[in-house]
DNA sequence: ATGCGTTAAAATATCGATATTATTTCCAAT
DNA sequence: ATTGGAAATAATATCGATATTTTAACGCAT
């Protein structure tokens, strides 16, 4: 096993790594999914992608009744793809199906958010410990690589006020999934993936402009270092407090109204 | 908090409880769902229930291609309800959807089974600890009650050879969910619920006639006692070894062929 | 014989219309 | 005024047919 100290401290070794990536280190195919371009080009997939994006971004507000006919004319898809997409979104916890009364956007509440955060911490702690225990050198390299890549793009598109940077979002998820990727349970990873996306939705919904001034990169780097040292306790502690601070920062006005 | 010793040792207090149940102690509505009669009576629900049952029981073999037309004539439902039901079963991990190529029964393998068991242990340990930490007296009563009810029905319908007893299955699940019901995360409970059902499927698939002669009731009682004493470490240890033995017993011939 | 590109067959995805079911509105009775 | 219930309305669930896509089969060239 590799033992490095402060791998991300200077960035020197990392430039080598980044370079090496073009030749030797290939992206782990298992992680490729987290880039999510749009899946295939079937109508259903398109409907799924657009609806999902609009729910995550808050365009379709929590609790809103999702009437097939309405969505049909709004997005200009047939009713079958819409229905199918809504079905798929139900698996992701973004949409709730009401027995014989169609669908609605999953509701949000501070209580649900607390549960989400709590559950995420439970699952990610376990997943991270297992990942650290089982990860091989390829996993280590993927962690380093994804951390580096994340550090190369700005959190916000502009410096003065916050404008979400889609590329950062993608790399951020990639990094977090890379950390736990060696956890020997695809089911566990799937759950974490779901919960991660749920969390992103809450982040968007809370309309958190003006993101914390704290140095998120530094936190990521610290986690990366701990992970590479195989210091599970420290890595977990850092990751958990990473979540805790992010979480507490959010809890803004969530409008949990179940409106039509 | 109640502190009892060996509540299930004699069964005396339990008869009182069972009686009391007809009057004072009502079934926790939150647990009612685990009896699952058939949901509503819509065609889709019927299709869902039947397909699910046939997948869990192994009538629809793992990896089998689920052709809409075939299912349509076999079950005598329209194609829309079939499709909808398959979509729903995808959320439950019983069916896999292949991009633009329809559905298939979720495949099984020893590897997947290992992962399933492992993940279940991780989640249930956490859920049980949280449940013990947060459960109130009503939760305690539901645990006692579900344990008692489970103990009142035989594991097998006949004494000489094993014939699954549906009522036992229902009560067994009810008991296990009651243990963790006080875990303050509906998402966590949902995950555990899913994994439980997955496990049942594997149990059925491994065609385990001749179930272990070990006294499962005794194990359940021991877990119940530990839980009521709020002895988390012991309860977890018992529950985990309960799973471990059950799990190792299963690993029989799993036919993971992906046949049409 | 083997591999590739074309064509035929099968299956899924999609659509538009109809049947059911839930919701609302409105009116009468208390 | 308020409640109860029947009709009208709106929405979903379901069906059967058509359009696309995928898979399999076939024959030709190498």
């Amino acid at each position: 096993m590799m033992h490095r100290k402060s791998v991300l401290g200077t960035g020197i070794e990392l430039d080598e790594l980044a370079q090496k990536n073009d030749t030797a280190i290939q992206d782990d195919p298992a992680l490729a999914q987290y880039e999510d371009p749009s899946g295939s080009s079937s109508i259903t997939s398109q409907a799924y992608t657009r609806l999902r994006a609009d729910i995550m971004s808050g365009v379709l507000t929590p609790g809103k009744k999702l009437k097939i006919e309405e969505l049909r004319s709004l997005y200009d898809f047939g009713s079958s793809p819409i229905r199918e997409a809504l079905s798929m979104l139900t698996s992701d916890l973004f949409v709730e199906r009401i027995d014989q009364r169609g669908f609605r956007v999953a509701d949000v509440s501070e209580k649900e958010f607390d549960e989400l955060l709590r559950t995420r911490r439970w699952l990610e702690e376990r997943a991270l410990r297992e990942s650290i225990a089982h990860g091989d050198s390829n996993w280590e390299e993927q962690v380093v690589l994804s951390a580096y890549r994340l550090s190369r793009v700005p959190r916000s598109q502009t410096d003065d006020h916050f404008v979400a940077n889609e590329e950062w979002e993608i790399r951020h998820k990639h990094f977090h999934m890379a950390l736990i990727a060696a956890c020997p349970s695809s089911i566990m990873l799937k759950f974490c993936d779901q919960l991660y996306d749920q969390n992103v939705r809450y982040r968007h919904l809370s309309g958190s402009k003006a993101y914390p001034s704290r140095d998120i990169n530094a936190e990521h780097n610290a986690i990366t270092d701990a992970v590479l040292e195989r210091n599970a306790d420290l890595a977990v502690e850092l990751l958990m407090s990473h979540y805790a601070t992010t979480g507490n920062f959010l809890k803004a006005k969530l409008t949990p109204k179940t409106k039509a």
Side-chain angles (χ1 to χ4, degrees), chain A:
Chain A
M1 294 180 196
M2 282 170 108
H3 276 265
R4 293 175 179 238
K5 294 246 173 197
S6 190
V7 178
L8 292 175
T10 62
I12 295 178
E13 309 95 320
L14 280 164
D15 283 331
E16 297 172 30
L17 262 173
Q19 206 167 7
K20 199 178 166 195
N21 176 57
D22 292 333
T23 55
I25 304 179
Q26 294 304 319
D27 284 333
D28 189 334
L31 259 57
Q33 54 181 117
Y34 303 116
E35 286 159 39
D36 180 35
S38 166
S40 85
S41 59
S42 70
I43 309 273
T44 300
S45 303
Q46 289 175 250
Y48 171 80
T49 305
R50 291 200 54 189
L51 283 170
R52 184 187 160 106
D54 283 351
I55 291 174
M56 282 190 77
S57 69
V59 173
L60 295 172
T61 57
K64 180 177 170 61
K65 182 73 202 299
L66 292 167
K67 302 176 189 173
I68 307 283
E69 188 56 30
E70 193 178 315
L71 298 175
R72 209 185 59 71
S73 60
L74 180 58
Y75 292 93
D76 201 51
F77 293 124
S79 47
S80 300
I82 294 279
R83 169 172 282 278
E84 195 77 3
L86 292 177
S87 245
M88 293 170 73
L89 287 165
T90 301
S91 312
D92 304 343
L93 305 178
F94 283 128
V95 167
E96 291 164 1
R97 91 186 307 147
I98 342 166
D99 186 52
Q100 215 142 349
R101 263 156 283 178
F103 303 86
R104 69 167 51 154
V105 179
D107 217 333
V108 298
S109 67
E110 191 168 321
K111 178 172 172 292
E112 293 257 329
F113 184 50
D114 282 337
E115 288 193 2
L116 171 62
L117 240 54
R118 198 177 297 149
T119 314
R120 253 198 106 196
R121 285 198 303 266
W122 294 338
L123 296 212
E124 295 238 359
E125 165 166 6
R126 172 55 68 183
L128 183 57
R129 285 187 188 280
E130 296 293 333
S131 192
I132 289 174
H134 293 92
D136 58 11
S137 65
N138 179 57
W139 164 72
E140 289 180 347
E141 291 181 349
Q142 291 298 326
V143 169
V144 173
L145 196 55
S146 60
Y148 174 69
R149 286 183 174 160
L150 175 58
S151 73
R152 303 306 290 177
V153 293
R155 171 87 181 76
S156 169
Q157 286 187 347
T158 66
D159 281 342
D160 42 323
H161 65 297
F162 177 78
V163 180
N165 181 358
E166 182 58 27
E167 188 59 29
W168 186 88
E169 295 286 352
I170 293 171
R171 297 188 185 193
H172 186 250
K173 177 169 183 180
H174 203 283
F175 169 67
H176 275 284
M177 294 311 288
L179 289 176
I180 61 175
C183 167
S185 164
S186 56
I187 308 168
M188 193 76 166
L189 294 177
K190 190 188 134 126
F191 287 161
C192 288
D193 184 54
Q194 279 189 202
L195 296 181
Y196 181 96
D197 289 338
Q198 284 297 315
N199 201 116
V200 170
R201 179 179 176 225
Y202 269 93
R203 201 166 69 211
H204 287 157
L205 284 176
S206 70
S208 64
K209 324 288 182 188
Y211 221 70
S213 52
R214 68 204 171 80
D215 192 348
I216 295 193
N217 262 331
E219 291 185 27
H220 289 150
N221 292 347
I223 292 169
T224 304
D225 288 342
V227 161
L228 293 178
E229 289 166 19
R230 307 271 177 169
N231 188 339
D233 289 336
L234 177 58
V236 165
E237 188 192 314
L238 291 171
L239 186 64
M240 295 304 107
S241 71
H242 181 60
Y243 287 151
T245 46
T246 314
N248 287 331
F249 182 81
L250 287 185
K251 293 195 194 173
K253 58 273 168 183
L254 295 168
T255 338
K257 287 171 196 161
T258 303
K259 47 185 160 183

